Amino acid sequence: MRRFFLILMLIFSPLTIYASEFSFEFDWSDLKKCTTGNPNTVSNPIFMLKNIPNGTKFIHFKLTDKDVPGYNHGGGWVEYKGENKILPGAFKYKSPCPPNGKHNYEWTASAKAKKGMFAGTIAKAKASKYYP
């Protein structure tokens, strides 16, 4: 009976393949300090990418202030050519610039096979930091 249940578990259990998840880190240590509430238009930070999914041709980056999510900081598109680091100058966005203390800022990276907001997303990754 025990053997029967083991066989059933093997047959009906989903097979899980452990693949590393798409992720990234960012560095905006060179960003000019801004605490006026009036963001500057600046070049993207350095993004260090990990485990980019197969089929990725573009990555869309978007910045959100988690303390003021309705404010549009923007972001940009990067054509993905196999690199693991995106250097400043790939796109421009509105910098973090909280008027009252620290805010939590989150970048979302969407890996896509085609450029377009409504093109299918292969995977998403998020990374956040407090600023300043």
Side-chain angles (χ1 to χ4, degrees), residues 80-118:
Y80 179 67
K81 298 179 181 177
E83 66 275 36
N84 289 323
K85 187 184 280 189
I86 307 296
L87 297 175
F91 63 87
K92 300 242 184 237
Y93 73 103
K94 292 180 185 175
S95 69
C97 194
N100 302 315
K102 291 185 176 192
H103 282 202
N104 187 8
Y105 289 88
E106 181 177 72
W107 280 102
T108 301
S110 300
K112 296 181 171 265
K114 294 181 182 180
K115 188 174 182 180
M117 293 308 294
F118 299 106

Side-chain angles (χ1 to χ4, degrees), residues 42-61:
V42 296
S43 289
N44 61 282
I46 296 171
F47 294 106
M48 287 78 62
L49 309 171
K50 296 178 187 168
N51 304 313
I52 298 91
N54 290 336
T56 300
K57 302 289 184 211
F58 294 91
I59 301 174
H60 181 258
F61 292 93

Side-chain angles (χ1 to χ4, degrees), residues 8-110:
L8 281 178
M9 284 177 52
L10 288 173
I11 292 171
F12 292 107
S13 297
L15 296 176
T16 305
I17 299 172
Y18 291 98
S20 297
E21 280 190 42
F22 173 40
S23 65
F24 69 98
E25 296 175 358
F26 64 95
D27 177 11
W28 57 25
S29 59
D30 290 339
L31 186 64
K32 181 180 174 184
K33 188 172 182 177
C34 182
T35 57
T36 64
N38 297 309
N40 301 303
T41 300
V42 296
S43 289
N44 61 282
I46 296 171
F47 294 106
M48 287 78 62
L49 309 171
K50 296 178 187 168
N51 304 313
I52 298 91
N54 290 336
T56 300
K57 302 289 184 211
F58 294 91
I59 301 174
H60 181 258
F61 292 93
K62 180 168 177 37
L63 180 64
T64 302
D65 179 343
K66 299 206 45 152
D67 296 296
V68 187
Y71 185 82
N72 183 8
H73 281 275
W77 289 93
V78 175
E79 184 176 3
Y80 179 67
K81 298 179 181 177
E83 66 275 36
N84 289 323
K85 187 184 280 189
I86 307 296
L87 297 175
F91 63 87
K92 300 242 184 237
Y93 73 103
K94 292 180 185 175
S95 69
C97 194
N100 302 315
K102 291 185 176 192
H103 282 202
N104 187 8
Y105 289 88
E106 181 177 72
W107 280 102
T108 301
S110 300

